[in-house]
Amino acid sequence: MAIRDILIIPEKKLRLKSELVKTIDARLRALVDDMFATMYEAPGIGLAAIQIGEPLRLITLDVAGKDDPKEPRVFINPEIVWASDETSTYEEGCLSIPEYYEEVDRPASVKVKFLDIDGKEQELTADGLLSTCLQHEIDHLNGVLFIDHISKLKRDMVMKKFKKAARKSGGDGPLADDKEPSHHIG
Ligand code: GNR
Ligand code: NI
């Protein structure tokens, strides 16, 4: 079991559409263990595999209160099969966008179909924080981030800040086409 590095924007992999999990074997279970270790250590209430660089449709989640018993949940190949017309607003954050929080409107309730860790088909109807977090994680599987649900002005500000930070930290920073045009040509 290992704590893995969490990808931070503007890392391009975060924009990939993740692939269906084809086989639930020891390797996949080891990845799930790494995801829980990484998620609990962060700490976060959810993690999509792509956040540790694995483009698979796989989510770990635990929305239990910090003083309550753990409620680890795994969702393999999840699909939203129903969403309520009613919406709710939560202040969201994302481990891939550290220390930025903003309110996001989403369907208040969703019904999700998925495979559990034994490969058995399951359905879950969720509301509250579980619903919000599930939708946030399923967005990650499609390369969508919570900042895609806020105003372009706010999103552009966040992207600019993280691109600048990545540029300053050098080496592991973004690829050239993630950089803003230079203000000092000539
Ligand atoms: O830890 C997290 N908290 C959170 C709070 C409100 C809505 C969504 C989330 S998910 C986030 C962890 C994360 O980035 N998952 O992808
Ligand atoms: Ni996230």
Side-chain angles (χ1 to χ4, degrees):
M1 194 159 85
I3 293 165
R4 309 259 295 255
D5 287 340
I6 296 175
L7 303 181
I8 306 297
I9 59 166
E11 167 58 54
K12 284 181 157 184
K13 279 188 184 172
L14 290 168
R15 292 309 193 169
L16 290 175
K17 185 175 156 81
S18 292
E19 301 288 334
L20 288 170
V21 170
K22 285 196 186 130
T23 36
I24 302 171
D25 54 10
R27 262 187 74 194
L28 190 91
R29 288 190 292 273
L31 173 58
V32 168
D33 285 351
D34 284 359
M35 288 173 65
F36 276 120
T38 304
M39 181 184 91
Y40 284 125
E41 198 266 345
I45 59 174
L47 194 75
I50 192 60
Q51 291 181 277
I52 58 168
E54 306 283 349
L56 290 171
R57 303 188 80 79
L58 172 64
I59 289 164
T60 56
L61 205 150
D62 189 337
V63 296
K66 70 172 173 62
D67 295 328
D68 297 323
K70 283 183 179 175
E71 286 178 37
R73 300 169 187 266
V74 180
F75 297 85
I76 300 170
N77 300 341
E79 279 179 74
I80 295 172
V81 295
W82 172 82
S84 63
D85 292 330
E86 186 199 341
T87 60
S88 66
T89 308
Y90 266 91
E91 184 170 78
E92 297 196 17
C94 182
L95 296 172
S96 296
I97 313 172
E99 291 169 53
Y100 180 74
Y101 305 91
E102 192 53 74
E103 290 194 336
V104 177
D105 293 325
R106 299 182 185 270
S109 311
V110 289
K111 183 173 171 183
V112 178
K113 228 177 76 177
F114 61 100
L115 299 180
D116 65 21
I117 195 64
D118 300 315
K120 187 164 177 265
E121 265 204 42
Q122 301 283 353
E123 276 185 352
L124 172 71
T125 302
D127 61 13
L129 183 58
L130 179 58
S131 169
T132 292
C133 189
L134 261 170
Q135 293 175 69
H136 174 118
E137 303 311 338
I138 292 171
D139 271 355
H140 275 299
L141 306 185
N142 296 319
V144 174
L145 301 170
F146 85 90
I147 53 172
D148 300 333
H149 296 286
I150 66 178
S151 76
K152 175 166 161 50
L153 181 70
K154 284 178 179 168
R155 178 168 61 254
D156 286 351
M157 274 167 43
V158 174
M159 287 307 300
K160 186 176 169 187
K161 184 184 149 189
F162 279 89
K163 283 176 182 175
K164 184 175 177 184
R167 220 184 319 130
K168 282 188 170 166
S169 71
D172 285 340
L175 301 172
D177 60 350
D178 270 322
K179 288 184 179 159
E180 300 148 62
S182 170
H183 301 294
H184 335 273
I185 295 171

